[in-house]
Amino acid sequence: MSAGIYSSLADLVALQVHARNPGLSGRQPPTSLLAGRSASRLRGRGLLFAEVRLYRPGDDVRRIDWRTSARRGEAHTRVFAEERERPIHLVVDQRLGMFFGSVAQMKSVTAAEIAALIAWQGLASGDRIGATVFNDAGSETIAPHRQRATVLRLLGSLVRHNHALGVNRGIVPAPQQLDQALADILRHATHDALIVLISDFQGISDQTREFVRRLARHNDVVAILVHDPTMQLPTHLPNSVLSDGCDHASINLSTGDSGDVLRKLVAARSAFVDRLRRELDIPCLAIDTGGDVPRQLARALGHTRRAPP
């Protein structure tokens, strides 16, 4: 089986070596797209009330419990503990449109690696991990749990959906499945979850934007656009070779209907991402099919320095 065409369980499990790297749910540096003006800050973990105790020098005066202090005649302060976990729900696209790649691997493989990496990082941070993996035929939802077994179940689902992709397999493209997956999430993620949408966003619609808006009211939503380097609206589109691991075909993207359709798709998805950033204040990261997903994600989050030009 050609590397980059399909994911393997061993490769997705191996990504746990990056689990201790900062993930989406951790504190972000000022250079991160999840901080600053270009995107809303994530809510992060909340604070749980722990106790009321005597005030100590250095305590935050804003947390003084004035009623208790007046009743007992001494200054008391409220103590809070950081929540140990939060639900992270991954929404992973494995539709036929993701079975494309012109560089190192398919978009479907890149999406699976992104999901696996975030799942391992979330588990290492004590978060509960869940997912909805969808294709053109339907979806599979895994309820969030803080267990390694849940992450392994998620990885197994990713591999199964990934290996079901291919040409000449009778797959009927279903653009509406993106909206259906979001509708399912609305029923499961009620509040205070981190929802990560991993897709190339084919089939976006006004309904898609409404679902995202409703999800973002009470949850943190991050969109990760999985794209191929050919999807950057160049003035000249090169010939590309497509493969399913067995058969190969060459397509000229610079002329004819293929190039026009490709440009329209790119423009529609770019407009969608811009609207998410501008209107909903949703962080949008971009990861391409060039490989090395851990490094790309770290750079997108501002956790590594970019090489000088």
Side-chain angles (χ1 to χ4, degrees), residues 87-151:
I88 297 179
H89 204 103
L90 306 170
V91 184
V92 191
D93 190 346
Q94 290 290 294
R95 292 175 297 171
L96 185 60
M98 298 288 286
F99 196 63
F100 175 85
S102 67
V103 188
Q105 57 194 32
M106 298 294 198
K107 289 187 291 183
S108 51
V109 173
T110 300
E113 291 183 358
I114 295 170
L117 183 61
I118 295 174
W120 287 122
Q121 290 175 342
L123 185 66
S125 298
D127 296 313
R128 289 181 285 137
I129 308 300
T132 294
V133 183
F134 69 99
N135 58 18
D136 296 284
S139 64
E140 178 181 358
T141 297
I142 299 170
H145 292 287
R146 187 163 56 89
Q147 298 174 348
R148 178 182 173 86
T150 301
V151 174

